[in-house]
Amino acid sequence: MSYYEKHVFFCTNVREDGGQCCSQHGAQEMRDYAKSRIKKLDLNGEGKIRINSAGCLDRCGEGPVLVVYPEAVWYTYVDKEDIDEIVDQHLVNGKIVERLKI
């Protein structure tokens, strides 16, 4: 059994050469927002959900990305409303958000 039920990785990579990267789309802010939502819902900690930053996940052309494990579901997002939908639908209710899936 895994230490966490779900592990969410947000690409927060910064490309030094100025090339396309998730950080240009507010990735760190969205990761911090998701982490605070999970804490407010009391879903963080052992056996629950972990929100992490990741280096480049190599999907730069698809906008900012995050991946949810163990399901290996990849998402893109635009704003806090998209993050709320991923948290509420996928992380809380176990339903994949098809419109944001990549």
Side-chain angles (χ1 to χ4, degrees):
M1 176 180 231
S2 178
Y3 187 79
Y4 298 109
E5 178 185 346
K6 295 192 186 321
H7 210 145
V8 182
F9 294 93
F10 277 76
C11 178
T12 57
N13 189 53
V14 176
R15 291 191 184 263
E16 298 299 323
D17 65 2
Q20 173 86 357
C21 63
C22 293
S23 69
Q24 295 169 335
H25 301 280
Q28 186 64 51
E29 178 187 356
M30 294 298 105
R31 178 253 179 217
D32 293 346
Y33 177 73
K35 189 171 184 94
S36 73
R37 282 275 337 268
I38 293 302
K39 282 184 178 182
K40 285 178 186 173
L41 293 168
D42 195 29
L43 294 174
N44 62 310
E46 183 179 351
K48 297 181 184 177
I49 299 169
R50 175 75 180 183
I51 306 292
N52 272 97
S53 295
C56 184
L57 294 174
D58 204 26
R59 302 210 50 191
C60 306
E62 304 194 58
V65 298
L66 65 88
V67 60
V68 179
Y69 285 106
E71 297 97 330
V73 176
W74 291 78
Y75 290 112
T76 189
Y77 55 87
V78 174
D79 52 28
K80 289 179 180 179
E81 289 77 19
D82 289 346
I83 298 300
D84 285 339
E85 191 171 353
I86 293 167
V87 167
D88 296 339
Q89 292 303 309
H90 188 146
L91 301 181
V92 173
N93 293 314
K95 297 179 181 177
I96 294 173
V97 181
E98 293 295 334
R99 73 176 193 85
L100 298 173
K101 187 177 168 190
I102 55 172

